[in-house]
Amino acid sequence: MKSKARSYVYWPSVDKDITEHVKGCHACAIAAKTSPREKPVPWPATQKPWERIHIDFAGPIDGYYFLIEVDAFAKWPEVIRTRSTTSAATIAILRSIFARFGYPETMVSDNGPQFVSAEFSEYCSSRGIQYVTTAPFHPQSNGQAERLVDTFKRSMRKIQEGGTTQDEALDVFLARNRSTPNAILPDMQSPAEAMLGRKIRTALELLKPPPAAQAEPANLDRRFQRGDLVYAKFYARNSWKWVPAQIIRELGSVMLEVQTNNQRVHMRHLIQLRKRDSAVGASSEDVDIDHLPFDLLKDLNYVFQCSCFGFNLVAL
């Protein structure tokens, strides 16, 4: 336009005047191209977990929606399945998440109707959460959540390819995402390390040799050997008594097998045993507790009245 004008006429500032005229043209303005992309402006860096979280909805997938949450610092994901995306349903989901991790300082979302309602705004303000919405129709502004939404959808398709149920696929996705080292995090930490301060144990731990067991200090006051004579606690109803027994073998550091004089074998804890002098007899204590109370009453020469059957049982 400038070149063509200069080929016919000329006056001082001809180029500037033409440019200003075109800028004021309404028809040109509404048909103009999209403005060149500006350099992305990153969100302020966070210094700790749960300082700022980003949320968004994914779906529907097989009739369900999924509330996606990601922590800006630790990249810790939360994915909750729901049938409803109303403000009330969204608040209920967030309330459950906040019960585990507390209220974040800042929460970011897009301009979905459930997020811009007065009910949702009131919920955030009453709990001291600074709620921020991104520019309408500009998903890049909530890139943390949008990126997780994309990763979640593709991962679910891959995991369910082998016939895995949606519930199982969701658990597998969360477990793997939380335990996988992230290049964005310092020292290639996993989201679990950044969020919880520790690695979460997965099936891959089975590839490592088991840690060497540390020997526990012996409890000399309560240490028994095979063949030792002991008294063992036996329980019946709301009572207990000491019954003579003998150590058969150790089942662990505090569990042992004992055998009573009636040749029955039982398992007892150390605190349920005490030493017995070999000179002490066991004839009067040889009671099979598992058959109480009748056998106990018989040994003590009690009379068991069975009035409901119309006869008396007398133990002689």
Side-chain angles (χ1 to χ4, degrees):
M1 186 183 298
K2 295 175 184 177
S3 300
K4 192 170 184 179
R6 284 196 300 267
S7 67
Y8 290 95
V9 295
Y10 174 79
W11 65 88
S13 70
V14 59
D15 288 352
K16 180 181 177 182
D17 292 344
I18 293 175
T19 300
E20 292 298 328
H21 177 74
V22 172
K23 285 183 178 180
C25 176
H26 177 71
C28 296
I30 62 175
K33 295 181 179 179
T34 302
S35 301
R37 294 187 60 181
E38 296 288 339
K39 183 178 180 180
V41 179
W43 285 92
T46 52
Q47 305 300 321
K48 59 185 178 180
W50 223 241
E51 183 177 340
R52 186 181 72 245
I53 65 172
H54 296 252
I55 60 175
D56 195 9
F57 270 104
I61 302 175
D62 297 333
Y64 289 94
Y65 293 88
F66 296 83
L67 179 64
I68 307 290
E69 175 278 323
V70 59
D71 176 63
F73 178 85
K75 312 307 177 190
W76 175 271
E78 288 284 343
V79 182
I80 308 298
R81 188 174 65 172
T82 179
R83 287 282 191 184
S84 174
T85 61
T86 63
S87 294
T90 303
I91 290 173
I93 295 172
L94 292 175
R95 186 172 60 242
S96 176
I97 297 175
F98 296 160
R100 296 190 291 273
F101 301 108
Y103 298 123
E105 296 179 16
T106 305
M107 182 163 58
V108 182
S109 77
D110 59 20
N111 289 268
Q114 62 275 86
F115 298 131
V116 297
S117 67
E119 181 183 6
F120 193 83
S121 179
E122 171 62 22
Y123 174 80
C124 294
S125 62
S126 64
R127 286 153 180 81
I129 303 173
Q130 182 185 4
Y131 180 54
V132 180
T133 56
T134 60
F137 305 104
H138 192 256
Q140 296 90 334
S141 298
N142 196 20
Q144 293 267 7
E146 293 291 342
R147 189 178 303 111
L148 183 59
V149 167
D150 178 63
T151 302
F152 167 72
K153 289 180 177 179
R154 288 187 289 106
S155 298
M156 289 290 284
R157 286 196 295 267
K158 295 174 185 178
I159 298 172
Q160 289 185 276
E161 185 65 27
T164 306
T165 64
Q166 191 180 76
D167 284 338
E168 185 178 355
L170 178 57
D171 291 337
V172 169
F173 166 76
L174 288 174
R176 292 181 179 176
N177 188 290
R178 292 166 177 172
S179 61
T180 300
N182 193 314
I184 299 177
L185 297 176
D187 302 324
M188 287 288 291
Q189 289 181 317
S190 65
E193 290 177 276
M195 185 71 178
L196 307 176
R198 64 176 179 85
K199 292 182 178 180
I200 56 176
R201 190 171 184 269
T202 67
L204 295 176
E205 298 297 322
L206 299 176
L207 298 175
K208 299 180 179 179
Q214 297 182 353
E216 297 182 2
N219 188 344
L220 299 179
D221 294 336
R222 293 184 178 275
R223 184 57 58 189
F224 298 99
Q225 304 293 332
R226 180 186 176 92
D228 285 354
L229 300 178
V230 296
Y231 284 106
K233 265 187 178 181
F234 280 80
Y235 300 84
R237 298 186 182 275
N238 295 324
S239 183
W240 61 269
K241 69 178 296 182
W242 292 107
V243 173
Q246 187 176 23
I247 300 297
I248 301 300
R249 62 172 178 146
E250 289 189 2
L251 300 177
S253 58
V254 295
M255 300 298 295
L256 300 98
E257 271 190 354
V258 300
Q259 186 179 48
T260 56
N261 291 343
N262 58 9
Q263 306 304 310
R264 299 192 67 174
V265 177
H266 307 270
M267 183 174 64
R268 289 295 181 269
H269 193 279
L270 276 177
I271 64 174
Q272 298 170 321
L273 301 171
R274 65 182 178 90
K275 293 182 179 180
R276 175 166 64 95
D277 190 345
S278 60
V280 177
S283 59
S284 63
E285 298 289 338
D286 187 10
V287 180
D288 185 358
I289 300 299
D290 291 336
H291 288 83
L292 287 177
F294 180 77
D295 287 349
L296 177 60
L297 296 176
K298 180 181 67 175
D299 289 345
L300 298 177
N301 294 322
Y302 278 98
V303 177
F304 185 77
Q305 301 290 339
C306 295
S307 59
C308 60
F309 292 100
F311 60 88
N312 295 333
L313 293 179
V314 180
L316 301 178

